[in-house]
Amino acid sequence: MSLIFRMIMLLIASKFKPQLPIKHPKNSLKLRVLPNDLDINLHMNNGRYLTICDLSRVDMFIRTGLARTMQKEGWMPVIAEHTMKYKRSLKPFQKYEVTMEIIGWDEKFFHMIHTFFVGDKVVAEGTSIGCVISKAGTVAPEYVMEKVTTRLEAKKI
C-alpha cells in the first residue's frame, strides 16, 4: 500500500477516534509491515519508522484539534530533531503498534516519544522535537495549546 493510501486511511479513521487532550496527549496506531516498507534485508526500512512517526503525529494533530487550528491560523508543524533506537526487526506482514506521546515542551519546542511494539515487546524507540511555525516565526507551545483550547471551547458553545 502506497503511503498516500495509508495517509488517506489515517485521515478518515482519525476523525472517528476519541478526541485527545492538547496537553500531554498519547495516541496509538496499529499497523502491519507492508511490502513497500521493506529494505533489501527484508525487514522494515529504518527510514520507514520515521514516516510512521509522521503518521502518528498527524493522527494526534487531528484528534487534539491542532490540525484544524493550524489550518485556520496558517501554521505548519516542523520536526527539528528526531532520533531512533532499533532493538528488533519488524518482518514482512508483522503486526505492530506505535504509540506517541507529547511528554513536555519549552518556550519553543514540543518534546515527543515514539515507541514501536510487537505485543508487549519494544522493538524501536524514538524521540522527536518539533515546533509550530507561522510566517512570523516559531509559535510558542503554550500559545498553540491556548489557541487550540479556546477554539474547542468556542465550538462547544
Side-chain angles (χ1 to χ4, degrees):
M1 177 185 294
S2 173
L3 284 175
I4 189 68
F5 296 121
R6 248 188 193 160
M7 177 65 84
I8 291 168
M9 289 177 59
L10 176 86
L11 292 171
I12 293 167
S14 295
K15 292 186 181 276
F16 295 99
K17 292 180 178 179
Q19 187 173 340
L20 295 171
I22 190 63
K23 290 189 177 186
H24 301 289
K26 184 174 183 177
N27 70 339
S28 171
L29 297 176
K30 293 184 181 186
L31 301 167
R32 184 180 295 270
V33 179
L34 300 175
N36 64 322
D37 296 331
L38 303 175
D39 62 16
I40 62 170
N41 296 318
L42 296 180
H43 62 218
M44 190 151 98
N45 179 283
N46 61 317
R48 185 63 84 201
Y49 285 85
L50 303 178
T51 301
I52 299 301
C53 290
D54 284 341
L55 289 175
S56 184
R57 283 190 291 273
V58 169
D59 177 67
M60 184 171 289
F61 295 161
I62 292 168
R63 294 175 62 198
T64 59
L66 179 57
R68 181 73 68 205
T69 302
M70 287 191 296
Q71 182 183 26
K72 287 185 186 269
E73 297 293 327
W75 296 344
M76 291 188 332
V78 176
I79 291 298
E81 180 181 315
H82 191 98
T83 61
M84 288 296 300
K85 293 179 185 175
Y86 306 99
K87 298 173 183 260
R88 292 183 172 78
S89 294
L90 286 173
K91 308 222 179 302
F93 303 105
Q94 189 170 20
K95 290 180 182 180
Y96 65 95
E97 180 177 9
V98 59
T99 63
M100 184 217 154
E101 182 175 8
I102 294 179
I103 57 168
W105 52 89
D106 54 32
E107 63 281 345
K108 189 174 182 178
F109 296 107
F110 290 95
H111 300 265
M112 297 158 268
I113 293 181
H114 309 268
T115 309
F116 289 74
F117 294 94
V118 171
D120 60 351
K121 292 192 169 130
V122 174
V123 296
E125 293 178 300
T127 59
S128 58
I129 298 171
C131 61
V132 175
I133 60 170
S134 70
K135 290 178 182 168
T138 304
V139 183
E142 288 287 346
Y143 184 71
V144 170
M145 292 182 289
E146 178 184 315
K147 274 295 223 187
V148 170
T149 302
T150 302
R151 192 186 69 72
L152 290 174
E153 287 173 355
K155 188 177 170 184
K156 289 179 184 176
I157 296 174

Short mmCIF file of all heavy atoms in Angstrom, two decimals, residues 22-25 102-111 141-142 145:
data_model
loop_
_atom_site.label_atom_id
_atom_site.label_comp_id
_atom_site.label_asym_id
_atom_site.label_seq_id
_atom_site.Cartn_x
_atom_site.Cartn_y
_atom_site.Cartn_z
N ILE A 22 -5.05 18.36 24.49
CA ILE A 22 -3.93 19.03 23.85
C ILE A 22 -2.67 18.97 24.73
O ILE A 22 -1.56 18.98 24.23
CB ILE A 22 -4.28 20.48 23.45
CG1 ILE A 22 -3.18 21.10 22.56
CG2 ILE A 22 -4.56 21.34 24.66
CD1 ILE A 22 -2.96 20.44 21.25
N LYS A 23 -2.85 18.89 26.04
CA LYS A 23 -1.69 18.79 26.94
C LYS A 23 -1.43 17.33 27.27
O LYS A 23 -2.32 16.62 27.73
CB LYS A 23 -1.92 19.59 28.22
CG LYS A 23 -1.93 21.08 27.97
CD LYS A 23 -1.93 21.85 29.26
CE LYS A 23 -1.87 23.35 28.93
NZ LYS A 23 -1.73 24.16 30.11
N HIS A 24 -0.22 16.87 27.01
CA HIS A 24 0.24 15.51 27.27
C HIS A 24 -0.63 14.43 26.62
O HIS A 24 -1.00 13.45 27.27
CB HIS A 24 0.36 15.25 28.78
CG HIS A 24 1.31 16.18 29.45
ND1 HIS A 24 2.67 16.11 29.27
CD2 HIS A 24 1.10 17.23 30.28
CE1 HIS A 24 3.25 17.06 29.97
NE2 HIS A 24 2.33 17.77 30.58
N PRO A 25 -0.95 14.59 25.33
CA PRO A 25 -1.73 13.54 24.67
C PRO A 25 -0.88 12.31 24.39
O PRO A 25 0.35 12.39 24.28
CB PRO A 25 -2.15 14.21 23.35
CG PRO A 25 -1.05 15.18 23.07
CD PRO A 25 -0.61 15.68 24.42
N ILE A 102 3.29 13.33 23.73
CA ILE A 102 3.98 14.60 23.97
C ILE A 102 4.30 14.62 25.46
O ILE A 102 3.40 14.63 26.29
CB ILE A 102 3.13 15.81 23.56
CG1 ILE A 102 2.92 15.81 22.04
CG2 ILE A 102 3.79 17.12 24.01
CD1 ILE A 102 2.07 16.95 21.52
N ILE A 103 5.58 14.59 25.77
CA ILE A 103 5.99 14.47 27.17
C ILE A 103 6.32 15.82 27.81
O ILE A 103 6.49 15.89 29.02
CB ILE A 103 7.20 13.52 27.32
CG1 ILE A 103 8.37 13.99 26.47
CG2 ILE A 103 6.78 12.10 26.98
CD1 ILE A 103 9.66 13.28 26.78
N GLY A 104 6.40 16.86 27.00
CA GLY A 104 6.69 18.18 27.56
C GLY A 104 6.96 19.20 26.47
O GLY A 104 6.87 18.89 25.28
N TRP A 105 7.27 20.39 26.89
CA TRP A 105 7.55 21.48 25.96
C TRP A 105 8.36 22.54 26.68
O TRP A 105 8.41 22.56 27.91
CB TRP A 105 6.27 22.08 25.38
CG TRP A 105 5.26 22.47 26.41
CD1 TRP A 105 5.16 23.67 27.05
CD2 TRP A 105 4.23 21.66 26.96
NE1 TRP A 105 4.13 23.64 27.96
CE2 TRP A 105 3.53 22.41 27.92
CE3 TRP A 105 3.81 20.34 26.72
CZ2 TRP A 105 2.47 21.91 28.64
CZ3 TRP A 105 2.75 19.84 27.43
CH2 TRP A 105 2.08 20.62 28.38
N ASP A 106 8.99 23.38 25.90
CA ASP A 106 9.71 24.52 26.46
C ASP A 106 9.18 25.77 25.75
O ASP A 106 8.08 25.73 25.21
CB ASP A 106 11.23 24.34 26.33
CG ASP A 106 11.70 24.06 24.91
OD1 ASP A 106 11.06 24.57 23.95
OD2 ASP A 106 12.70 23.35 24.74
N GLU A 107 9.95 26.83 25.72
CA GLU A 107 9.45 28.08 25.12
C GLU A 107 9.32 28.00 23.60
O GLU A 107 8.63 28.83 23.00
CB GLU A 107 10.33 29.27 25.51
CG GLU A 107 11.77 29.20 25.02
CD GLU A 107 12.66 28.30 25.87
OE1 GLU A 107 12.32 27.93 26.99
OE2 GLU A 107 13.74 27.95 25.35
N LYS A 108 9.91 26.97 22.97
CA LYS A 108 9.89 26.88 21.52
C LYS A 108 9.42 25.54 20.97
O LYS A 108 8.77 25.48 19.94
CB LYS A 108 11.31 27.17 21.00
CG LYS A 108 11.43 27.33 19.52
CD LYS A 108 12.83 27.76 19.14
CE LYS A 108 12.95 27.96 17.63
NZ LYS A 108 14.26 28.42 17.23
N PHE A 109 9.76 24.44 21.66
CA PHE A 109 9.56 23.11 21.11
C PHE A 109 8.66 22.21 21.95
O PHE A 109 8.65 22.31 23.18
CB PHE A 109 10.92 22.39 20.97
CG PHE A 109 11.85 23.04 20.00
CD1 PHE A 109 12.96 23.75 20.45
CD2 PHE A 109 11.64 22.94 18.64
CE1 PHE A 109 13.83 24.34 19.56
CE2 PHE A 109 12.51 23.54 17.74
CZ PHE A 109 13.61 24.24 18.20
N PHE A 110 7.97 21.31 21.24
CA PHE A 110 7.28 20.18 21.85
C PHE A 110 8.26 19.00 21.85
O PHE A 110 8.99 18.81 20.88
CB PHE A 110 6.04 19.79 21.04
CG PHE A 110 4.92 20.79 21.10
CD1 PHE A 110 4.78 21.77 20.12
CD2 PHE A 110 3.99 20.75 22.13
CE1 PHE A 110 3.74 22.68 20.17
CE2 PHE A 110 2.95 21.66 22.19
CZ PHE A 110 2.83 22.63 21.20
N HIS A 111 8.25 18.19 22.92
CA HIS A 111 9.12 17.03 23.03
C HIS A 111 8.25 15.77 23.02
O HIS A 111 7.29 15.69 23.80
CB HIS A 111 9.95 17.09 24.31
CG HIS A 111 10.82 18.32 24.35
ND1 HIS A 111 12.13 18.29 23.94
CD2 HIS A 111 10.56 19.60 24.71
CE1 HIS A 111 12.65 19.51 24.06
NE2 HIS A 111 11.71 20.32 24.53
N PRO A 141 4.74 26.94 22.21
CA PRO A 141 3.82 25.84 22.53
C PRO A 141 2.67 26.24 23.45
O PRO A 141 1.54 25.80 23.24
CB PRO A 141 4.73 24.80 23.19
CG PRO A 141 6.05 25.03 22.53
CD PRO A 141 6.13 26.53 22.38
N GLU A 142 2.93 27.06 24.46
CA GLU A 142 1.85 27.50 25.36
C GLU A 142 0.76 28.24 24.59
O GLU A 142 -0.43 28.05 24.83
CB GLU A 142 2.39 28.39 26.48
CG GLU A 142 3.20 27.65 27.53
CD GLU A 142 2.34 26.79 28.47
OE1 GLU A 142 1.10 26.94 28.51
OE2 GLU A 142 2.95 25.95 29.16
N MET A 145 -1.26 25.71 22.46
CA MET A 145 -2.24 24.97 23.27
C MET A 145 -3.40 25.86 23.69
O MET A 145 -4.55 25.42 23.73
CB MET A 145 -1.54 24.33 24.47
CG MET A 145 -0.59 23.22 24.06
SD MET A 145 0.24 22.39 25.43
CE MET A 145 1.36 23.65 25.99
#
